[in-house]
Amino acid sequence: MFYEKYIEVFGGGGWILFAKPPGNDHEVFNDANSNISNLFYCVREHSSELIEKLRYVLNCREDFDRIKHIISQKAEIGDVQRAANFYQLIRYSYASSCDSFGGKPHSMWGNFPLIEQASRRLQKVVIENKDFEKLINSQDSEVSFFYCDPPYYSTEGYYQNVGFTTADHERLRNALTAIKGKFLVSYNDCPEIRELYKGYKMYSYERLNNIRQRFDGGSMFGELLIANYDLNERLNSDQQISLYDLEDQLC
């Protein structure tokens, strides 16, 4: 599948972007959570200063609660300090939730090489902090590829800070239906999402539920990939298949 613009609509941790080899395509990373977009901006533009602010942070509940309060109050502390605080919450919280203290050993210094690598990878990436519909409309073209990893259906309550509601699932579908480019959406596999995207190509699979491993070892959950193009296209071509190509039959 040919594209010239890669747009990650719900960026989050940027897992797909960082796994994707950099090329000549125009890359956009977006997240409606300003703490995430600010962190990525500071990693790209101020990595050395960010590392220095993280060098002597404490892995303790009292400091975690203090930082969490500062973030929740949206205090005017500067972009880099705000990014350092948010990164501290991610690393020291349970399951990177930024909500509850994890209470596990973690070497912050061990993350510094990762921050430096991420800074180099992000040098040519456009970082946005927009509502998904506005981003899709502004970046759409015949050579655009949108990867969307929205909040799972029925988990909207976990995303109150960015205001993603049940109605936004339909708003996302409507925005993607109108585009000229291509899209790939990843969701939890449920009847509501299958009905919402009825008529599009779908591929279902199971993966490990990392959050539940502590209490339910081996727990799995179903995921669903949805696209407006043939998901087997590259499997049927002579091109080299990457780690992210599909290996099984479409559902």
Side-chain angles (χ1 to χ4, degrees):
M1 182 186 65
F2 173 79
Y3 63 88
E4 293 180 356
K5 296 173 67 176
Y6 171 80
I7 304 101
E8 203 154 310
V9 181
F10 301 88
W15 305 116
I16 303 300
L17 176 67
F18 287 127
K20 173 183 174 293
N24 295 323
D25 54 321
H26 178 79
E27 297 176 317
V28 179
F29 173 93
N30 177 73
D31 203 285
N33 185 334
S34 61
N35 287 319
I36 293 177
S37 57
N38 177 67
L39 173 59
F40 271 67
Y41 169 78
C42 290
V43 166
R44 187 186 68 187
E45 300 296 332
H46 306 289
S47 59
S48 296
E49 186 179 352
L50 177 62
I51 287 172
E52 286 307 308
K53 289 188 178 295
L54 290 168
R55 190 172 296 279
Y56 300 110
V57 296
L58 301 176
N59 184 6
C60 67
R61 187 180 301 275
E62 182 179 2
D63 202 49
F64 180 89
D65 290 340
R66 179 182 66 84
I67 295 299
K68 182 181 175 182
H69 177 73
I70 292 173
I71 289 289
S72 67
Q73 296 300 307
K74 299 181 180 179
E76 295 293 335
I77 55 177
D79 290 346
V80 179
Q81 185 61 61
R82 178 184 168 202
N85 287 354
F86 186 62
Y87 192 76
Q88 185 177 349
L89 286 188
I90 293 172
R91 287 304 186 184
Y92 291 155
S93 60
Y94 174 68
S96 300
S97 64
C98 297
D99 186 34
S100 58
F101 180 60
K104 291 185 176 181
H106 179 82
S107 171
M108 186 63 76
W109 287 30
N111 298 132
F112 296 165
L114 298 178
I115 293 174
E116 292 171 341
Q117 292 174 31
S119 178
R120 292 191 293 270
R121 176 63 180 87
L122 292 171
Q123 285 305 303
K124 294 183 179 181
V125 176
V126 176
I127 299 172
E128 293 278 18
N129 173 222
K130 288 185 175 181
D131 170 78
F132 65 82
E133 186 175 8
K134 292 181 179 179
L135 180 84
I136 291 171
N137 291 338
S138 66
Q139 294 291 337
D140 185 34
S141 72
E142 293 181 352
V143 293
S144 296
F145 176 75
F146 296 92
Y147 173 66
C148 303
D149 185 19
Y152 285 170
Y153 191 82
S154 296
T155 67
E156 298 81 16
Y158 294 104
Y159 299 91
Q160 296 177 359
N161 291 337
V162 295
F164 197 94
T165 67
T166 302
D168 284 324
H169 294 292
E170 184 172 354
R171 187 163 68 95
L172 174 61
R173 190 278 314 273
N174 292 342
L176 292 173
T177 297
I179 67 172
K180 301 174 184 176
K182 303 296 185 183
F183 73 76
L184 178 66
V185 186
S186 59
Y187 258 118
N188 53 325
D189 192 351
C190 64
E192 292 84 356
I193 293 301
R194 283 182 174 269
E195 179 63 27
L196 187 63
Y197 284 88
K198 188 176 181 179
Y200 287 103
K201 300 292 185 180
M202 296 185 185
Y203 168 79
S204 60
Y205 64 102
E206 286 191 338
R207 73 175 180 87
L208 203 64
N209 189 333
N210 293 322
I211 295 178
R212 295 191 61 182
Q213 293 311 299
R214 181 177 176 182
F215 308 101
D216 186 11
S219 176
M220 307 286 288
F221 67 89
E223 289 207 342
L224 189 66
L225 295 180
I226 307 164
N228 65 343
Y229 61 92
D230 184 3
L231 287 167
N232 272 328
E233 179 179 336
R234 292 191 64 191
L235 285 176
N236 297 328
S237 73
D238 294 328
Q239 299 179 14
Q240 182 178 358
I241 297 172
S242 74
L243 178 64
Y244 297 98
D245 287 308
L246 307 179
E247 297 179 353
D248 298 320
Q249 296 296 318
L250 297 180
C251 59

